[in-house]
Amino acid sequence: MTGHSIEELFAQYHAPLLRMLYRRTGDQDRAEDLAAEVFSRALQAPPDNPRPWLFAVALNLVRDDGRRAVRQGRRLQLLKGESPVSAGGADEDYERNEKTRFVKAALSELREIDREVLLLKAEGFDYDEIAATTGLAKGAIGTTLCRARKRLVEAYRAQEKDKHVAS
Amino acid sequence: MSHLDEGTLTALFDGELGAPEREQAEQHLAGCGECRRLYTEIRGFADEAGQLVDSLQPAERKASPAPRPARPGWERYRPLAWAATLILAAGLGWSASTLRFNQGEASDAVDGLAEQRAPATPTSALPEESRDESPSPEARERAGARQDGAPRRQVTQPPAPIAADMAKAAAPAPARNEAEPAANAVGRVESSPPPNPPAALVGTEPLQARGAEVSALREAPQGAYRYRETSLEQAVRVLGGSVKLIDGLNPIRVQAGPSQPVPGGPALEVIRITYLDPPGRELWLDQQRHPAAAEVDAAPVADLLAGDTTVTSAGDGQSRVRWISADGFRLTLTGYLPGDSLRSLVRRVH
């Protein structure tokens, strides 16, 4: 590992990685498991350029995990599967938050690449880093981000509108 | 000047334009109402989207500690090795004194040692891991790591996702079909087959045979397939003196798989070497080799002949390449990559 111990990587990147994974999966337990797996892999194959590497591995794991879940007939409980009565105090309050559910639902409507670019940008990645992490050309990042932001906002507004119609 | 596109306006908002481009864009905005309106809209969406994403925060929990580097190989068992050394030294000292002072009973003493080594319990009553069912010199050679004081199995406790993969690897043992005697290295990969035959099949692999194998795998009992961690040195020993590696990629895990019969030869372990490619996707290279590979490969092995390469793609994105190398290795490379990408990696396996 060029200049980074695993402890340093963990201290520096665990929180943003977990946050991105939580936003991406909508499931805190899954996000924590995936984050642990990312650092386990960093231990096995130390990255030269840790930030794009860690996030790229995390996004790959999310995709692979999703495929595996589908193969096993296990449906991801991103949105609809969330129990109205959740397990723990803080989580319960959090998951009951209507805005949170709407945002998760809106995010789930985005294209995979749009969602990834949006979430990486939210973690402070610049266009070069987003390109390195996702494999997109740098010149395509602006257009992708523009589309992702617009669709997220529109999908969120649609959720709110549906709620008002239903109530 | 034509209007600015959304990508440029977004890059301007994000501060991603270089100085000349930014200056040019700002000059254009100053004189173009339509682009200013679009820029305002883009900025509004960006602000609102940012707030929405920021509203998603994971609950604060006590973070698990950073993973620690595993102690490699036998070092994990260094304390046990010390204890074993002391016990061995004491045992040898006692034996030597017995031989020295009871010359007339030397042969009895040696017999006694042999009895001490013999299992007090019938092997059938021992746990499966403890049995030594291969008393031949070759088998003892393969079990060499166990003779140096290290434990029989060096099973590490992997992180949960890896453990899940390993558990999957431990699933069904093939009730072997005599008509298809050696799926060899492929057997484990197909222990979790997609529900239907692969969506795309390139090569000569007969679907009927694969179907039989898949159904046999499903019916086989759980737990019969189990990979254990091993070292490259041990893998080289198992494979008869050499091991295949992928140029340019670093192995992250070396495992030895279940013994599987090769036609006309003894049961041979499969060596699995797992890699991460640059984007962090796992690939695993399974390999098996018969000591007299050239003779065995003269006959067809399952559905594969020497020189054949088959590429199989499952619907879930997993692909697999199988081939037999000129020097008699049966190889399988599997991963969540397009089949063509895997096939190109085959050229780097040496």
Side-chain angles (χ1 to χ4, degrees):
Chain A
M1 201 169 300
T2 51
H4 302 278
S5 70
I6 191 69
E7 288 82 5
E8 288 170 340
L9 288 183
F10 193 85
Q12 190 170 358
Y13 296 117
H14 182 264
L17 195 68
L18 177 64
R19 185 167 55 230
M20 189 278 290
L21 282 166
Y22 171 70
R23 289 170 175 166
R24 174 65 188 82
T25 63
D27 181 326
Q28 175 133 358
D29 289 336
R30 232 178 117 215
E32 287 178 354
D33 287 347
L34 290 168
E37 173 65 9
V38 171
F39 284 100
S40 164
R41 293 189 180 201
L43 194 60
Q44 293 164 339
D48 291 332
N49 191 6
R51 191 155 91 141
W53 190 93
L54 291 169
F55 280 77
V57 169
L59 291 171
N60 280 333
L61 284 174
V62 171
R63 286 193 288 269
D64 287 351
D65 196 41
R67 289 191 198 106
R68 199 170 297 138
V70 170
R71 191 167 68 240
Q72 292 169 352
R74 169 170 63 90
R75 292 287 173 263
L76 299 180
Q77 300 190 350
L78 290 180
L79 305 163
K80 295 175 184 171
E82 285 176 357
S83 166
V85 182
S86 56
D91 280 356
E92 184 177 335
D93 292 337
Y94 192 78
E95 295 295 341
R96 281 179 176 172
N97 185 291
E98 195 171 61
K99 182 176 180 182
T100 299
R101 285 192 291 109
F102 287 169
V103 176
K104 286 181 181 179
L107 269 174
S108 74
E109 290 183 24
L110 300 189
R111 286 168 47 184
E112 181 90 34
I113 189 66
D114 290 1
R115 189 165 44 221
E116 291 180 357
V117 167
L118 187 65
L119 295 182
L120 291 173
K121 185 71 183 118
E123 292 304 329
F125 278 52
D126 63 26
Y127 283 16
D128 284 321
E129 289 176 306
I130 293 174
T133 305
T134 60
L136 273 180
K138 186 185 175 186
I141 304 293
T143 310
T144 307
L145 256 180
C146 180
R147 182 177 61 229
R149 287 163 169 165
K150 189 174 179 183
R151 285 185 179 172
L152 178 72
V153 170
E154 288 175 348
Y156 178 80
R157 288 175 182 169
Q159 296 273 334
E160 283 196 320
K161 189 177 173 186
D162 287 348
K163 174 199 153 195
H164 292 311
V165 169
S167 58
Chain B
M1 184 181 177
S2 60
H3 291 300
L4 298 172
D5 62 59
E6 290 182 332
T8 304
L9 289 172
T10 302
L12 176 66
F13 172 77
D14 288 328
E16 292 281 348
L17 291 183
E21 292 87 2
R22 188 179 66 239
E23 196 174 327
Q24 206 172 11
E26 285 171 350
Q27 279 178 2
H28 178 85
L29 279 179
C32 178
E34 191 172 339
C35 284
R36 271 202 309 278
R37 185 199 54 75
L38 183 57
Y39 180 77
T40 305
E41 182 183 295
I42 284 171
R43 190 174 58 191
F45 279 129
D47 287 341
E48 190 170 348
Q51 288 169 12
L52 292 175
V53 172
D54 283 346
S55 72
L56 286 185
Q57 295 289 341
E60 284 189 20
R61 293 181 185 172
K62 188 180 176 184
S64 51
R68 293 190 164 279
R71 298 168 71 185
W74 67 273
E75 282 187 26
R76 234 171 285 155
Y77 301 103
R78 193 191 294 262
L80 292 179
W82 275 106
T85 305
L86 289 174
I87 292 169
L88 187 63
L92 285 173
W94 178 82
S95 303
S97 65
T98 305
L99 288 169
R100 194 180 309 124
F101 293 112
N102 300 287
Q103 290 291 331
E105 299 172 0
S107 60
D108 290 342
V110 172
D111 289 346
L113 279 174
E115 283 171 15
Q116 287 172 22
R117 289 197 198 102
T121 314
T123 50
S124 59
L126 288 170
E128 192 177 339
E129 296 175 12
S130 311
R131 287 182 212 158
D132 189 353
E133 295 176 343
S134 308
S136 66
E138 294 88 346
R140 280 200 291 274
E141 175 72 13
R142 283 201 298 275
R146 297 200 295 253
Q147 297 170 353
D148 59 9
R152 283 178 165 272
R153 290 190 169 217
Q154 298 185 357
V155 181
T156 56
Q157 198 64 39
I162 297 176
D165 286 346
M166 290 173 70
K168 199 174 63 179
R176 300 206 63 78
N177 184 345
E178 290 303 320
E180 189 190 7
N184 52 63
V186 177
R188 143 68 185 103
V189 172
E190 294 182 342
S191 62
S192 56
N196 298 312
L201 193 66
V202 185
T204 56
E205 205 169 15
L207 279 173
Q208 198 173 2
R210 287 177 47 77
E213 185 183 359
V214 166
S215 61
L217 287 167
R218 283 182 186 141
E219 290 161 11
Q222 292 281 329
Y225 266 37
R226 194 169 297 281
Y227 278 72
R228 61 183 168 79
E229 293 203 13
T230 187
S231 63
L232 269 179
E233 293 75 15
Q234 184 67 9
V236 167
R237 200 177 303 171
V238 169
L239 293 169
S242 63
V243 64
K244 297 285 187 188
L245 299 170
I246 304 177
D247 282 351
L249 294 181
N250 292 322
I252 60 168
R253 193 161 53 238
V254 182
Q255 294 169 296
S259 299
Q260 294 189 19
V262 169
L268 293 174
E269 284 190 310
V270 174
I271 296 299
R272 163 164 300 179
I273 303 180
T274 306
Y275 296 87
L276 285 183
D277 73 352
R281 296 171 295 195
E282 269 197 7
L283 311 167
W284 50 99
L285 178 68
D286 289 352
Q287 49 194 297
Q288 193 183 31
R289 188 188 189 198
H290 189 280
E295 296 166 23
V296 174
D297 290 336
V301 176
D303 50 339
L304 207 57
L305 286 167
D308 281 351
T309 302
T310 67
V311 181
T312 312
S313 297
D316 60 358
Q318 189 183 80
S319 301
R320 192 182 62 233
V321 183
R322 303 169 60 199
W323 75 105
I324 297 179
S325 69
D327 48 350
F329 280 80
R330 292 156 181 79
L331 296 132
T332 307
L333 181 61
T334 309
Y336 284 96
L337 277 76
D340 288 346
S341 303
L342 274 186
R343 188 194 278 269
S344 68
L345 280 173
V346 167
R347 288 193 285 272
R348 290 163 53 184
V349 175
H350 301 294

